[in-house]
Amino acid sequence: MTRDQPPPLRRPLLVFLPFFLGGLVAGPWLASTGVDLRPLAVLAALTAGLLLFRKTGPAIRGAWLLLAVSLSLFGAAQAASVFSRPETPGHVVSFLNQPGLVFGGRVAEPPRVSLGRTRLVVEADEVMTVGGSPEPMRGRIYLTVLGEGLSAGVGSRVRFPAELREISSFQNPGGFDYVRFMAGQGIWTSAFLKNTALLAVIEEPERLPGLLALIERGRNRAAGLIDRSTAQPSTGLIKALLLGDQDGVEPEFRRAFQRLGLSHLLAVSGLHVGLVAMAAYWLFLKLLLLNPGWALRYNLRRAAALLTLGPVLFYAALAGARPSTLRAAIMVSVFLAAVMVERRRDSLNSLAAAAWIILVIQPAAVFTASFQLSFAAAGAIIILAPRFPFSPYAPADGGGEGSGPRPGRRFAGLLIISLAALIGTAPIAASHFNRLPLLSLPANLIFTPLISLTVVPAGLSAIALSWLWPPAAELVFGVMGRALWLPLGPLEIFGSWEWADLLVPGPDILFLAGYYLLAASLFLIRPRRRSIWAGAAASLCLAAAMAGPAVKDLWQAPCLEVTILDVGQGNAAHVALPDGTQMMIDGGGFFRSDFDTGEKVLAPYLLNSGVTGLDIIALTHPDTDHSGGLGFLLENFGPGEFWRHQSPGLNQRYGRLLSTAMERGIMSPTLADLHQIRFFGEAACRVLAPSPDFMEGVKLKDLLAARNDHSLVIKIEFGETSFLFPGDLEAAGEAAVVQRQGERLRSDVLVAPHHGSRGSMTAGFLQAVQPCVVVFSAGRGNRFGFPAKEALAGARRAGARVFRTDLDGAVRFRSDGRTMEIETFGRPCPE
């Protein structure tokens, strides 16, 4: 193509990609409207085609504009179809909340095993009543089985009795949209089995014909050899590095990789697939060159690129065919295709082609961190690396290929690539993970080449050997396991440093615009005058983004803000007091789960609300559903005080909380001190129960047995409004606090004691509190049946408005001392 052609003809894939992306981003909103934009998209595309036939300047420009509009409409329609809840008969969604059914289907992805639970994605195709005949159905089910050791693998046919539940998210401001994430994978329902005996494997994957069985056998063979020849933590890390199985990575090493910005090494992505491609391409080229006649008759580089596609796609399937792996395989395949058609120089157009293929196949990928980080890193390396001063990748003076880095400049090349990728991905990583890894650059310079250029190639060689000579493969894996101890020691030490990373609020659109405009002004925009103007505009955007919250606080009158958070089956409340004091009461948590509510739910809410530190953490009682998420907050949000009732607890997490508080010198006031009124500006706070002497003369077993009734009862008052947090009080505890405190319990807003259990919310307690609003904090479809019908009825008899975190999501109250505003983040707030 000539340079006098319109820009869209030079790089059409790149030019039109932003329009398609914009449509995809608008898709989830469009899904809720039910509007179908496909007819408009087709009309715009046909009109653009007609205009192109006129071949005049204005007509061609109009055609490009209409084509861009058409692609935006197509993108929006495609994303809307993905995120629209299926309503067709026979889909798994139509069988929600129906007991007594048995479902059948095939396991679609490799099982994930952690903490005594196995998670499967089942492509369901049949449903029946117990003892009945199967009927056809379709759709995916996310199945959790309590227990390990299942024989079900990818391709296994299974049957199981279950009651399907709808996938749900924690509905908090600034939280992760889990429903959208799962819907992007075609999963709308989940199910739970209490033990592995309830899952019947009808057909083993080994009995399946074709390539699927071959891949599954290879994967199982490699995993078995790794298990036999290595020990933890090497076992889990090698499986993650080679097979994409991260379930065996020990938590402390997972955190170290994350905090050092090395998480990409644990996902089978572009790095691993690229190494397979380079090795296969080199091997095929050398083999083809053995025949001199072929070199004269054929283009052997194109032939080698074509042959390389086989190992790339096979390894992607062997590594589990997870979304990040498939995206990497598609990207590498596109670049190989560019070699085959001799278009090697236009890397940006090849990258755009990979993005188009991925987004057409998986429209939801645009919302995932892995897609955004992969393409941001690759794009930044392609664009920025040649433009750094003294870059070994800068084009030669003659405009030909860049002069490759000399041996003495290889380190500079690696530094520039790492820095370019960091510049491209830092705000995106902060947006998704609320983390800024401060040691990312040196960590990637040290550990990425050490692992990617030694461990990964050796492991890939061992996988190949496992098909030909298993004892040799086992020997290589054993050496790898021992060699990994060398980098793991320093990696764990560096990852444990407090300043290894920084928790940050997710950047808003103004900050992102300013950041990338500043990068463009430094590296891309020329001449210098335009660069200066762009830099000034970027600085204004960044200043406005960072100063916005402070300016808002200056103009806002002091108020009390209380947010009862959705933490599933548990309790957590954030209190922003009028004088700026930040307080967290309870932290949610899940029994026998590695899900950290503090890190995954509370921290994103706090950070995205502009809260980077807490002054007070209060724990009403030690049970996991109240204490489980507080460890992360104690370690990362620097509280000055830790309120608790001093009695012992049974779970290990509570013990770790006490150790963390002691190690960090966090003050823990006595109950006698907490019973005194504390003022925070014009707001008053005090603990009403238990009494300071409640442990005197009581045996330990009795304390533990009645731990719910010994919950801290906290009351906060601001002007004419008040809030009561009674923890997990039950009937006996409610009666005791009513007897001791009487009218002091009266409050406008009551967080229902014990999540609204049948044994709480007694008439005497409600009569003493006289709440105007009752908030039930409970998990959707929880196995305890909270809130109980009796508790709901009691709240309504008391004349209170009822809110439920399982239905309404987080409930936020904002009071100026006289009036109170209520906002919900799930279903719309009733008037």
Side-chain angles (χ1 to χ4, degrees):
M1 295 182 186
T2 61
R3 291 191 176 274
D4 59 349
Q5 289 177 315
L9 291 182
R10 293 197 208 115
R11 278 180 173 163
L13 296 176
L14 186 61
V15 169
F16 289 114
L17 181 61
F19 297 97
F20 188 63
L21 285 171
L24 291 176
V25 171
W29 170 82
L30 185 67
S32 62
T33 66
V35 178
D36 187 1
L37 294 180
R38 276 182 280 259
L40 282 176
V42 172
L43 179 62
L46 291 175
T47 307
L50 292 174
L51 288 175
L52 284 175
F53 277 109
R54 300 186 62 178
K55 298 183 179 180
T56 63
I60 291 177
R61 285 191 291 271
W64 298 138
L65 179 60
L66 280 173
L67 183 57
V69 171
S70 174
L71 290 171
S72 295
L73 294 173
F74 270 121
Q78 190 175 8
S81 66
V82 171
F83 294 110
S84 296
R85 188 173 184 270
E87 301 293 348
T88 55
H91 193 275
V92 290
V93 171
S94 60
F95 296 93
L96 286 169
N97 305 314
Q98 296 183 29
L101 295 179
V102 176
F103 299 92
R106 291 199 181 275
V107 177
E109 296 180 8
R112 301 187 58 186
V113 182
S114 63
L115 287 181
R117 293 169 185 257
T118 303
R119 294 175 175 87
L120 306 169
V121 175
V122 178
E123 193 76 50
D125 55 23
E126 65 178 13
V127 61
M128 67 196 84
T129 57
V130 177
S133 300
E135 297 180 4
M137 65 174 299
R138 61 184 181 84
R140 288 187 156 199
I141 301 172
Y142 189 64
L143 178 64
T144 300
V145 186
L146 198 59
E148 300 178 5
L150 288 176
S151 60
V154 175
S156 296
R157 182 162 190 80
V158 296
R159 280 182 182 165
F160 54 93
E163 183 174 348
L164 298 185
R165 302 287 186 182
E166 189 171 11
I167 297 288
S168 60
S169 299
F170 295 105
Q171 300 175 93
N172 299 306
F176 176 64
D177 193 340
Y178 185 65
V179 171
R180 186 175 69 182
F181 174 74
M182 297 297 279
Q185 303 174 58
I187 302 173
W188 293 88
T189 61
S190 64
F192 177 80
L193 300 181
K194 293 182 179 179
N195 58 69
T196 57
L198 295 173
L199 185 76
V201 179
I202 307 301
E203 186 177 281
E204 297 286 352
E206 286 78 4
R207 299 177 185 174
L208 298 175
L211 187 61
L212 179 64
L214 180 67
I215 291 171
E216 188 65 15
R217 283 198 298 270
R219 180 180 175 83
N220 291 336
R221 180 187 293 112
L225 290 173
I226 294 170
D227 286 333
R228 288 198 299 271
S229 57
T230 63
Q232 286 287 35
S234 296
T235 304
L237 287 169
I238 292 174
K239 285 185 176 180
L241 290 166
L242 301 178
L243 302 177
D245 181 4
Q246 299 186 32
D247 295 326
V249 179
E250 294 185 350
E252 57 269 27
F253 288 103
R254 188 190 299 273
R255 284 193 295 270
F257 274 84
Q258 183 184 52
R259 298 190 68 202
L260 294 174
L262 299 171
S263 295
H264 60 92
L265 293 176
L266 296 180
V268 175
S269 54
L271 173 67
H272 307 71
V273 179
L275 286 171
V276 171
M278 286 191 295
Y281 179 80
W282 178 86
L283 179 62
F284 285 132
L285 186 60
K286 293 296 182 184
L287 290 175
L288 292 172
L289 286 171
L290 293 176
N291 188 321
W294 290 350
L296 295 174
R297 297 172 58 188
Y298 306 110
N299 186 327
L300 297 188
R301 293 185 181 276
R302 296 171 68 179
L306 178 62
L307 292 171
T308 301
L309 288 174
V312 165
L313 297 177
F314 186 84
Y315 176 64
L318 187 71
R322 292 184 170 89
S324 62
T325 310
L326 288 176
R327 282 193 286 273
I330 290 172
M331 289 177 66
V332 171
S333 299
V334 168
F335 279 94
L336 289 171
V339 173
M340 287 186 279
V341 298
E342 298 183 340
R343 291 289 305 275
R344 300 176 62 186
R345 295 188 183 184
D346 200 346
S347 299
L348 278 178
N349 219 36
S350 298
L351 189 66
W356 274 103
I357 294 171
I358 291 168
L359 293 174
V360 168
I361 298 173
Q362 299 176 332
V366 70
F367 297 103
T368 62
S370 59
F371 175 88
Q372 295 174 14
L373 292 172
S374 297
F375 281 90
I381 291 169
I382 292 170
I383 295 170
L384 301 183
R387 290 170 169 81
F388 277 92
F390 310 108
S391 171
Y393 306 107
D397 293 338
E401 294 286 341
S403 57
R406 295 188 298 271
R409 303 175 68 191
R410 291 186 186 277
F411 179 79
L414 180 60
L415 174 64
I416 285 172
I417 286 177
S418 299
L419 186 56
L422 182 61
I423 291 172
T425 60
I428 298 174
S431 178
H432 284 281
F433 309 117
N434 294 111
R435 287 182 179 274
L436 186 62
L438 302 179
L439 298 180
S440 176
L441 187 58
N444 274 281
L445 287 174
I446 296 170
F447 294 108
T448 295
L450 186 63
I451 293 176
S452 64
L453 300 180
T454 57
V455 176
V456 173
L460 294 175
S461 302
I463 288 178
L465 281 173
S466 68
W467 295 87
L468 306 172
W469 191 11
E474 190 169 349
L475 177 62
V476 174
F477 283 134
V479 173
M480 283 177 58
R482 290 166 176 80
L484 263 178
W485 281 94
L486 294 175
L488 286 184
L491 191 146
E492 186 178 14
I493 292 172
F494 296 148
S496 65
W497 288 352
E498 288 191 15
W499 45 272
D501 68 349
L502 189 66
L503 290 175
V504 295
D508 58 17
I509 188 66
L510 192 60
F511 183 93
L512 290 173
Y515 177 89
Y516 285 111
L517 184 57
L518 181 61
S521 70
L522 292 174
F523 294 98
L524 303 178
I525 299 176
R526 297 292 181 268
R528 187 173 180 81
R529 179 185 299 177
R530 292 181 182 177
S531 174
I532 292 173
W533 280 110
S539 300
L540 286 175
C541 288
L542 292 172
M546 291 186 286
V551 172
K552 180 182 177 182
D553 291 340
L554 287 175
W555 287 99
Q556 185 174 342
C559 68
L560 172 65
E561 190 172 280
V562 176
T563 307
I564 315 301
L565 293 162
D566 174 14
V567 290
Q569 185 49 46
N571 267 79
H574 171 236
V575 182
L577 292 149
D579 68 342
T581 298
Q582 302 291 334
M583 182 179 188
M584 180 65 69
I585 302 176
D586 289 334
F590 295 92
F591 180 66
R592 289 187 64 183
S593 173
D594 58 352
F595 184 86
D596 191 331
T597 309
E599 181 180 8
K600 301 296 177 59
V601 180
L602 303 183
Y605 158 77
L606 290 169
L607 293 168
N608 293 324
S609 299
V611 180
T612 56
L614 292 169
D615 300 288
I616 299 170
I617 288 179
L619 175 62
T620 58
H621 74 298
D623 282 2
T624 302
D625 60 335
H626 292 247
S627 64
L630 294 183
F632 187 85
L633 302 187
L634 283 173
E635 292 175 356
N636 295 278
F637 282 77
E641 297 183 31
F642 180 31
W643 294 7
R644 58 189 183 89
H645 57 31
Q646 313 293 332
S647 70
L650 286 174
N651 65 79
Q652 293 181 348
R653 289 186 181 181
Y654 181 60
R656 289 196 295 269
L657 282 183
L658 300 184
S659 299
T660 301
M662 185 177 298
E663 290 169 2
R664 295 175 179 268
I666 300 171
M667 186 175 66
S668 185
T670 66
L671 269 177
D673 292 333
L674 293 176
H675 272 262
Q676 302 300 315
I677 296 178
R678 292 270 300 272
F679 289 94
F680 303 92
E682 297 181 14
C685 179
R686 68 182 299 181
V687 168
L688 301 179
S691 63
D693 59 351
F694 81 100
M695 289 192 294
E696 293 182 7
V698 181
K699 295 180 180 179
L700 177 60
K701 65 176 183 178
D702 295 329
L703 278 174
L704 294 175
R707 61 186 181 277
N708 283 352
D709 288 327
H710 296 146
S711 297
L712 281 187
V713 178
I714 302 170
K715 182 176 180 180
I716 299 175
E717 299 176 89
F718 179 52
E720 300 172 9
T721 57
S722 53
F723 297 79
L724 189 67
F725 304 88
D728 271 3
L729 288 184
E730 297 181 86
E734 291 178 1
V737 73
V738 168
Q739 182 180 8
R740 289 180 61 89
Q741 300 294 348
E743 291 187 356
R744 288 179 182 161
L745 291 170
R746 187 166 298 173
S747 303
D748 297 298
V749 178
L750 168 67
V751 179
H754 202 204
H755 319 283
S757 68
R758 186 175 299 173
S760 64
M761 297 281 287
T762 58
F765 181 73
L766 287 171
Q767 185 177 0
V769 178
Q770 297 184 22
C772 300
V773 177
V774 176
V775 182
F776 292 89
S777 182
R780 181 175 296 186
N782 66 86
R783 61 191 178 93
F784 306 103
F786 296 158
K789 293 183 292 185
E790 295 83 351
L792 289 168
R796 294 191 176 102
R797 280 196 302 270
R801 291 178 65 184
V802 170
F803 292 90
R804 300 172 50 169
T805 60
D806 59 334
L807 302 179
D808 300 299
V811 185
R812 174 175 289 166
F813 301 88
R814 187 178 290 109
S815 170
D816 60 5
R818 296 183 303 276
T819 61
M820 188 164 56
E821 300 175 1
I822 306 177
E823 183 180 9
T824 57
F825 294 87
R827 63 184 179 183
C829 179
E831 297 295 333

